[in-house]
Every structure is written in structure tokens, then in C-alpha cells.
Amino acid sequence: MADVSRVQSALLGWYAREARDLPWRKTRDPYAILVAEVMLQQTQVDRVIPKYHAWLARFPTLGDLAGASRADAIRAWQGLGYNRRAVRLHEIASQAVAAFGGKLPRSVDGLLRLKGIGRYTAGAVACFAYEQPEPMVDTNVRRVLSRVFGIEPAGVESMAASVIPRADAWAWGQALMDLGAGVCRVSQPLCLICPLLHECGGPRPSGGRRAPAGEFRSSNRYFRGRILDELRGLPTGRHLELDALAERVEGRVDLIHALAAEGLLEIDSNRRVKLPE
Ligand code: SF4
């Protein structure tokens, strides 16, 4: 299993440099974070951002939302789809006003008392609003933790809390989200630019299983495949520095040149490597 403290430090360092600038990361208002989480559950980030601002302008607090009609909530949800979510938010607001004086509870157990809030959303509010070391395991987070720690996806839920850095739970949760969304993708993860490559071991079949062990992992065939997999996974137009690529594949510069000679990749005069056009 990967070393937990090294994974924490590598991921938090990467997040400090690469974090996406998202509006719900600038607040600790639990209601605003709840709104963002519910919107993000079935809608892309780019589409959520304007709707998030508009919703909070229309209903700035839980009390404002509870005081509006269900029809108002559904109207304000226009353009987001899956309208049942608007009704769910409205019901949560009504319950929070009736049971908690218009505030959201701080604990996961308290949040789960509100009908419409499940384990993922409760964890997200507890972590992102109250900065508590609570896990929130969605499909992205499950995939990242499964790959990094080499465990089956079904086992992630029960181990996720144990790897949270207690002093940096908020950033850890956000970093897992970003890594899962942009780097550790479902197919063709961008392992070569991943901050966890050295801890994780690099590309492997999906589903959390480790790449072939033993002899195969030191064979030319393995490294040739790995070099090409990494180039294949790069966004269009991106190159990799030859030295950086070599470092990530245990110094196998010979294989990079061999692949170039075979026409499977190109190395330009600035020692940048890419797939052939
Ligand atoms: S090295 Fe690859 S598989 Fe491992 S976490 Fe990074 S992108 Fe995912």
C-alpha cells in the first residue's frame, strides 16, 4: 500500500499549485456549499457556476429558500435539469428552519437527520463548510483512492476516513476532487503529470487492480507500453520534456529513442516528446 503521509504531502502540494478557482471554494457558508454540491451531483462545473450565483442571489439563505414556494425553487432551477433536486433543496431548507433554526448541523449524523441529505452530501458539507475530517466518496474520489492505494473500489468507503490529513481535511477533499476530474480520469489517466505517480505506481488497468507485477513490470514491453500510454493520454497539442518522461519511466531513454526510430513518437530539437501527427 502506498505511504499515506507521502501521498498526503504530494497531493496537498499539487493542490496548492494547481487548484481550480471555483466560487464555492471561497466560502464556508454551509448552505452555499450544500447548493453547490447538489447542483454538481448531475451537472458539469461550467454549467453550475452561473446557476450557483443566480440561486444564491435569489435565495441567499436557507430561510429565504424555505420562505419561497416550491414553484419558485423549480423556476430558479431552470437550465440545470434533474429538477427533483430543486424540490429536494427546498425540502431540506424547510426542515432546517423547522428543526435547527435555519442552520445546517455541523455533524454528519446531524446532517443525515435531514431528509434529502445522503452520506456523500453530509460529508461534503461537514468537510467543506466546517472543515471536519469527514470523507465524501463520489465516483471520482473512489477511483483515485482505489488506484493510489491499490484496493477494490468497493472497499474505499470504509478506508477513506483513515487517510485524511486531519489538519488539512478541507484541502484534501478538494484536491481529490480535482485530481479525479482532471488527471486520474476514468480512461487514459494522465499518470505522467500526476503528483502521485511515484506513490501510485502509474498506469494500471481500471478498477483499482495493480499493473502486472514482477518480471513484466521491468520488461521492455511494459515500459514501451507505459511511455506510449502516457503520451496517448496527454491533451491534444501537449508535449512532454524528454528528461521528465525518462525520469518517470525509470530512465528508459533508450526505449524512448527506439520508439522514435520506429515512428511511434517524435522528439523535436528542443527535446520535447509527443505522438506523431
Ligand atoms: S498515477 Fe495515474 S492511476 Fe495513479 S492517481 Fe495518478 S493518474 Fe491516477
Side-chain angles (χ1 to χ4, degrees), residues 26-47:
K26 295 176 179 145
T27 180
R28 296 295 185 273
D29 174 2
Y31 164 61
I33 285 160
L34 173 71
V35 169
E37 289 299 330
V38 172
M39 288 183 171
L40 287 165
Q41 277 165 19
Q42 276 146 319
T43 308
Q44 297 291 321
V45 166
D46 289 352
R47 281 181 60 209

Side-chain angles (χ1 to χ4, degrees), residues 5-157:
S5 60
R6 285 214 298 265
V7 169
Q8 290 172 340
S9 125
L11 186 57
L12 291 170
W14 173 80
Y15 181 74
R17 298 186 303 275
E18 304 282 343
R20 288 181 292 177
D21 181 20
L22 300 172
W24 42 88
R25 290 181 173 171
K26 295 176 179 145
T27 180
R28 296 295 185 273
D29 174 2
Y31 164 61
I33 285 160
L34 173 71
V35 169
E37 289 299 330
V38 172
M39 288 183 171
L40 287 165
Q41 277 165 19
Q42 276 146 319
T43 308
Q44 297 291 321
V45 166
D46 289 352
R47 281 181 60 209
V48 165
I49 290 173
K51 293 293 177 184
Y52 167 83
H53 289 304
W55 182 276
L56 290 178
R58 175 75 182 78
F59 311 114
T61 67
L62 276 167
D64 293 321
L65 179 55
S69 68
R70 179 181 287 193
D72 284 342
I74 293 171
R75 273 190 214 101
W77 200 262
Q78 187 175 19
L80 278 167
Y82 298 97
N83 292 284
R84 175 73 201 136
R85 291 181 293 169
V87 175
R88 184 151 63 95
L89 266 179
H90 187 254
E91 288 172 350
I92 292 169
S94 301
Q95 295 171 75
V97 167
F100 300 110
K103 295 190 176 355
L104 287 172
R106 296 179 68 88
S107 70
V108 165
D109 285 347
L111 288 158
L112 286 172
R113 286 174 55 197
L114 295 167
K115 185 167 163 287
I117 292 191
R119 181 62 186 80
Y120 169 83
T121 307
V125 172
C127 180
F128 295 147
Y130 299 121
E131 305 198 13
Q132 297 185 50
E134 291 288 351
M136 73 299 297
V137 179
D138 66 356
T139 53
N140 281 347
V141 171
R142 180 174 289 106
R143 183 173 62 255
V144 172
L145 293 179
S146 163
R147 287 170 170 171
V148 173
F149 292 106
I151 59 174
E152 290 300 321
V156 167
E157 203 91 39

